[in-house]
Structures are given as structure tokens and as C-alpha cells.
Amino acid sequence: MKVLIIGSGGREHAIAKAVAKNPNIEKIYCAPGNGGIASIAECVPIGAMEFEKLVDFAKEKAIDLSIVGMDDPLVGGIVDQFEKEGLRVFGPNKAAAILEGSKSFSKELMKKYRIPTAAYETFLDPQKALEYLKNADYPIVLKADGLALGKGVLICQNEEEAKAGVSAIMVEKQFGDAGNTLVIEEFMTGREVSVLAFVDGKTVIPMTSAQDHKRACDNDKGLNTGGMGTFSPSPFYTKEVHDFCQASIYQPTVTAMAAEGRKFCGILFFGLMLTESGPKVLEYNVRFGDPEAQVVLLRMKTDLITVLSACIDGTLDEIDLEFEDNAAVCVVLASKGYPLHYEKGFAIKGLEHFDDTEDYACFHAGTLKDNAGTIRTNGGRVLGVTAKGRNLKEARDKAYEATKWVEFENKYMRTDIGKAVEG
Ligand code: AMP
Ligand code: GLY
């Protein structure tokens, strides 16, 4: 079997590693991939948004299954293009990917089908948004409707900040067309949990839980990033919480999408807030989280290819999804200055420590292999150093120990991933 993975981050490295375990895999390609993925897949220099080139490549190489890791191509309709050409592909089509592509769509869906989420209003006109802010409760949350690299959410402490936010999103268009529509949302408090789920259009099977640390600095200070580290499972995601979410959030969302004529097949990522009045949806994503995939897939016992195939074939109800009874922690090694300004191109030393280790993995995010074969830094988030342990404390201690194995100039990491919840 030949597989093509589309994307270039730590998430795609984790997917590639899981795919490689299947005994029927002859060859893995990754477009465009990165320096670490290159050790298990052939990286091809085609961008994730170059749909026609990707379709041609999949035909030319007779790819049996293409897996789309990233949100942009999914929201842009890559799956429809592949399916039109008769190619087998994993991920939601454009009509279903709108669940991540438009926050106003997802909020309306939740309202219509009574899926618990924060109260909200939608605005097309900045004047009306400013008017609304006069009598609002603070803090309040502003969200650009469309995709904004995870940066389109502003938490505003008072009317002054919120007015500046409306201007930045709707007038100055800091997030481009993503800010044509604005969602203003009630601020919720509680523990955040990420739950990724496999979906085949009707059945939804959640994976083990995880939690991301989005801020750049320790104690959740600093700017929002793509994610500085994760741990899995979340001790706050109890059986009771799970049962509630399955009955009131996961299944209703999948059933609602089918009822709307937008059958969802792929990974559905539920960003949840465990509030005092019960779990509520913060956001939906339509792909694996990054770096959630790194900790979740490392603990998955069931063969990934088997599950993805069942999603495409509509036979997910026959799958018995199993995870190891342990914990995993992923610490992101970033370039100093991320998420704003940082330098790239530094040689990375010590990666060989991860060869042949069962409990450790070093997922590459922003790396490249130069012509001399040296792996160099090539992005803000560089590596995801990940370890498994019997519990969160052991996994965390091992992951932090392993961060010392790797050296590169301007290496930066948070020192408190999973710390507040050590079990
Ligand atoms: P999102 O991109 O929607 O996940 O939002 C990014 C982050 O903003 C989330 O992980 C939360 O920490 C925070 N956030 C989003 N919506 C809310 C809300 N309604 N109340 C409190 N925090 C929120
Ligand atoms: N880690 C959050 C995301 O992938 O959106």
C-alpha cells in the first residue's frame, strides 16, 4: 500500500510514524514534509495548497490512500478534488470542513441543535459590534470568523480593549478576509480539554483526551502560539464528563452535520471547556491537533490505517479503538522569539538519541535536511520531544530529560508542560 500524507508539521510526522507501523505499507510520501519526516517518508516538494499538482502526483504514483493533515487544504476543498478524480482520501470535504472554516457557521449549528457552547452574537458591521460592546459583560471574547492560523481569537478585559479588537479584526483586517464576519462570545472559565475523534459520517469514536498549552511562556503568560506542549490523558476528563460529551456534544454534532447535508468524515477535534455548568464547546477543528496528535497517536494501540479506512468506508462501528493505559507528554522546542521574530538555519545536534527508543519520540515540526544531510532549524516550532511513562509525572520527567539530548542555537521551551496536573 502506498500512502501520501499532506502537510509538514509535527502532526504529520506523528501521522507518518503511526502509518509506518502498518505491515502492508510499501511506501510513504509526504508533501511537502520536513527534515524528520524524510527519515520515514519520501518528501516531495509540492505545497499543501497545490491541489492539482497533488492530484497528479497521487495518480502518477498510484497512491492508495492520501491523508490530509492540515486545515487550510481541507477548508479549501482538497478532498472534493481528490474524490472527483476517483482518488481515495481521508478528511472532510469542503461542505463539512466549514465546521472549522467558519466560526459563525459552527456557532449557529450548535445553537440550532442545542449543543452546549458559549452564548454569542455575530456581526457583519463594525458599528453594530461597537454598539453591542457598550452594554456587554467583561471579559469578552472576539473571534474572526475564518481561519487565522490560530490567532484570530482575542480575549478583551474591558470595552476599550474590545473596541480596539473590533477595529483590528474588522477594519484593519489583521487576519484578512477571516475578519469579514465577527463572532462576539461570552467568556467562559474552567479547564480546557482537547478530544479528537474519528468520524465516518454517522459513528463517532473519540480518542483519549489531551491538553495543549497555547501560551508562549511559563504559567500561561505571553503570546498565543500554535501550541508549546501537550499531555495526555487529561485527569479532568473523567468518565462522567466523557459520557456527557458523547451524548450531548460528539454524537449530536455528527448527527447535525449529516442532517444539514454536510456529512462529516474525518477527524473531528472538540476543543472543550469544562465549566461549572458542564462541558461546553470552545471550538471545532476538522483535523488532528498539533501537538495533540503527537501524544495521542503515540499512545494508540489500534492500527491507524485500519481506523482511517473504516472512516472512509463507513464501518467505524466495527472498530474497537484502544489506547495504552499510560501517559505521554510532548515538550515543544521552539526558536527563541517565536511566535514573533526568530532566526532559522541552525544545525540540530543529538537527534540520534531517539533512534530505537520505545518510550521516546522526537517529532519534527520546523526542520529541514540540508544538502550535506545536516538537520537544521527551519521554523518557530522546531521539535516536539515526546515521552511515555506510567503516569503523567513519569512521562513529564522523561520528556524533560530528553529535551537535554537535543541542542541547537536559540533553543527555547516552556518548563511547565503538564506541571499543574501531575498525576
Ligand atoms: P480557539 O482558537 O477558538 O480555540 O481559541 C483559542 C483559545 O482562546 C482557546 O484555547 C481558549 O483558551 C480561549 N477561548 C476561546 N473562546 C473562549 C471563550 N468563549 N471563553 C474563554 N476562553 C476562550
Ligand atoms: N493545538 C491546537 C490545534 O492544533 O489547533
Side-chain angles (χ1 to χ4, degrees):
M1 182 179 193
K2 291 188 216 159
V3 173
L4 169 65
I5 298 168
I6 296 162
S8 60
R11 162 183 51 211
E12 286 75 22
H13 194 183
I15 293 171
K17 201 173 150 121
V19 164
K21 287 195 207 156
N22 181 293
N24 298 321
I25 298 294
E26 277 165 64
K27 177 97 182 170
I28 306 173
Y29 295 94
C30 190
N34 65 36
I37 297 174
S39 65
I40 36 178
E42 182 176 330
C43 294
V44 285
I46 307 178
M49 295 305 286
E50 295 183 282
F51 297 174
E52 277 177 26
K53 284 190 189 170
L54 290 167
V55 163
D56 288 346
F57 179 83
K59 281 187 184 164
E60 182 196 318
K61 299 287 182 193
I63 300 292
D64 299 292
L65 173 64
S66 298
I67 303 168
V68 188
M70 297 169 69
D71 45 359
D72 280 329
L74 290 167
V75 171
I78 191 171
V79 167
D80 309 62
Q81 294 243 7
F82 271 63
E83 285 179 343
K84 203 170 74 196
E85 300 290 333
L87 294 163
R88 194 167 158 85
V89 56
F90 178 81
N93 62 17
K94 189 171 182 173
I98 191 175
L99 214 42
E100 177 163 359
S102 167
K103 290 191 192 293
S104 57
F105 171 87
S106 63
K107 294 298 288 189
E108 268 165 45
L109 186 91
M110 287 186 266
K111 192 186 221 171
K112 182 169 170 188
Y113 292 90
R114 297 177 187 278
I115 296 165
T117 188
Y120 76 102
E121 296 287 335
T122 301
F123 297 90
L124 289 162
D125 174 359
Q127 283 313 324
K128 294 216 168 105
L130 293 175
E131 200 57 39
Y132 175 83
L133 290 174
K134 285 186 185 157
N135 298 313
D137 292 331
Y138 291 89
I140 205 160
V141 185
L142 308 188
K143 298 186 173 185
D145 183 57
L147 292 184
L149 297 169
K151 294 182 187 141
V153 174
L154 304 178
I155 294 174
C156 305
Q157 298 302 329
N158 50 49
E159 191 185 337
E160 233 20 62
E161 278 183 36
K163 278 158 80 177
V166 169
S167 176
I169 294 175
M170 299 190 88
V171 184
E172 291 150 38
K173 294 277 167 77
Q174 278 186 11
F175 310 107
D177 286 345
N180 290 350
T181 303
L182 178 74
V183 171
I184 302 188
E185 198 173 275
E186 166 203 9
F187 177 76
M188 301 189 286
T189 51
R191 291 279 179 181
E192 279 188 48
V193 183
S194 302
V195 175
L196 319 179
F198 294 105
V199 183
D200 73 353
K202 52 185 192 305
T203 301
V204 46
I205 306 189
M207 298 174 227
T208 184
S209 61
Q211 190 187 316
D212 188 9
H213 295 258
K214 286 206 170 85
R215 301 293 199 97
C217 308
D218 282 4
N219 301 314
D220 292 329
K221 296 277 181 340
L223 294 171
N224 254 324
T225 71
M228 293 299 295
T230 38
F231 59 88
S232 169
S234 162
F236 306 104
Y237 189 76
T238 59
K239 173 147 190 345
E240 189 190 4
V241 171
H242 170 81
D243 290 347
F244 175 86
C245 292
Q246 180 68 25
S248 306
I249 295 178
Y250 309 152
Q251 191 62 57
T253 301
V254 172
T255 307
M257 288 298 277
E260 294 290 313
R262 296 173 182 274
K263 203 167 132 183
F264 191 99
C265 174
I267 302 292
L268 196 43
F269 169 142
F270 298 90
L272 303 170
M273 181 78 94
L274 308 182
T275 75
E276 268 185 0
S277 54
K280 293 185 182 174
V281 177
L282 275 170
E283 63 162 345
Y284 293 117
N285 295 314
V286 300
R287 32 81 194 172
F288 280 107
D290 188 348
E292 283 89 346
Q294 287 84 321
V295 281
V296 169
L297 289 176
L298 201 65
R299 299 183 52 228
M300 189 162 132
K301 287 210 257 183
T302 318
D303 173 57
L304 181 63
I305 289 286
T306 308
V307 187
L308 301 188
S309 302
C311 290
I312 298 173
D313 296 335
T315 55
L316 195 57
D317 56 342
E318 293 167 17
I319 296 285
D320 182 17
L321 190 68
E322 285 189 289
F323 287 84
E324 292 171 6
D325 183 18
N326 56 11
V329 169
C330 169
V331 180
V332 169
L333 302 187
S335 302
K336 199 164 75 195
Y338 172 73
L340 296 174
H341 308 290
Y342 50 84
E343 290 177 68
K344 309 192 274 194
F346 300 113
I348 305 174
K349 297 197 194 89
L351 293 168
E352 67 283 357
H353 278 89
F354 293 90
D355 294 344
D356 306 317
T357 47
E358 258 290 299
D359 284 0
Y360 299 86
C362 184
F363 298 110
H364 291 224
T367 71
L368 62 75
K369 200 178 206 169
D370 69 14
N371 291 337
T374 306
I375 303 277
R376 293 184 178 275
T377 65
N378 190 39
R381 290 192 292 174
V382 179
L383 301 166
V385 171
T386 310
K388 290 196 280 195
R390 281 168 297 182
N391 51 42
L392 280 174
K393 177 168 185 345
E394 192 179 280
R396 182 184 131 75
D397 289 347
K398 285 164 77 175
Y400 272 104
E401 188 57 33
T403 61
K404 297 181 194 153
W405 301 346
V406 188
E407 277 310 325
F408 57 87
E409 225 170 289
N410 288 350
K411 171 175 137 183
Y412 169 78
M413 67 186 153
R414 275 183 63 160
T415 64
D416 62 348
I417 302 301
K419 195 168 181 180
V421 290
E422 271 173 11

